[in-house]
Amino acid sequence: MARNRKSESAAIRFGPAVKAFLLCLVIGGSGLGYVWQKDQIARLGRQISTREARLAALEGQNDILRRQLASMRSVVYVEYQIKQLKLGLVQRPATEVWHLTEPAEQGPAPERQYAAQSPPRTP
C-alpha cells in the first residue's frame, strides 16, 4: 500500500530540515569563531607592538635622564650651581677635615666545643 505524506509523522518530515539547520549552525558558528579569533590575534599583535614601542621610548628617556643625573651629581656642576645661586658655600680647609679609619670587620666569635662529660671512674 502506498504511503502518503499525511500519514507520516512530523518528526520524519522535519528531521532532514533540522539536521540541515544544525549543520549550517555549526558551520556558521565555526566560521564566526574563526574570524573572531583572528581578530583577537590581530588586536593583541597591535597592542604588543605599541607597548614595545612605548617601552623603547621609555628606555631611551630613562637613559637620557640617567646621563643628566650623572652630570648633575658631578662636582663641577654643583660648584657652578653654588656660584649661580650665590649661596656663599665654600669648601672646608683640609685642617678641619678628620679622616677616620673604619675598624676591620670582625667575624662571628668561634663557638666553643666541649667534650661530653663522662661519669667519674671509681677504682
Side-chain angles (χ1 to χ4, degrees):
M1 186 152 111
R3 302 176 91 194
N4 62 18
R5 288 188 174 199
K6 289 183 180 181
S7 64
E8 292 179 1
S9 69
I12 295 174
R13 280 189 284 175
F14 293 112
V18 170
K19 288 180 185 176
F21 176 74
L22 289 177
L23 183 64
C24 288
L25 189 64
V26 167
I27 291 173
S30 297
L32 188 63
Y34 177 77
V35 170
W36 178 80
Q37 185 179 20
K38 286 294 187 177
D39 180 56
Q40 289 296 317
I41 290 170
R43 183 176 295 142
L44 290 174
R46 286 191 300 271
Q47 284 179 358
I48 288 171
S49 63
T50 55
R51 290 179 180 172
E52 284 176 346
R54 176 145 170 76
L55 176 64
L58 288 173
E59 285 175 344
Q61 184 180 5
N62 194 16
D63 190 43
I64 291 169
L65 291 173
R66 187 178 291 121
R67 280 189 260 127
Q68 182 180 2
L69 178 64
S71 69
M72 291 177 85
R73 284 183 173 174
S74 70
V75 176
V76 175
Y77 181 80
V78 171
E79 288 175 350
Y80 174 75
Q81 287 296 320
I82 290 170
K83 288 178 185 175
Q84 283 293 111
L85 298 173
K86 298 177 183 168
L87 297 176
L89 300 175
V90 293
Q91 196 168 14
R92 289 190 176 262
T95 58
E96 292 184 12
V97 178
W98 290 3
H99 294 281
L100 302 175
T101 58
E102 193 167 327
E105 186 176 319
Q106 296 177 350
E111 292 184 27
R112 296 183 184 176
Q113 295 181 353
Y114 298 99
Q117 188 174 15
S118 61
R121 291 186 192 179
T122 55

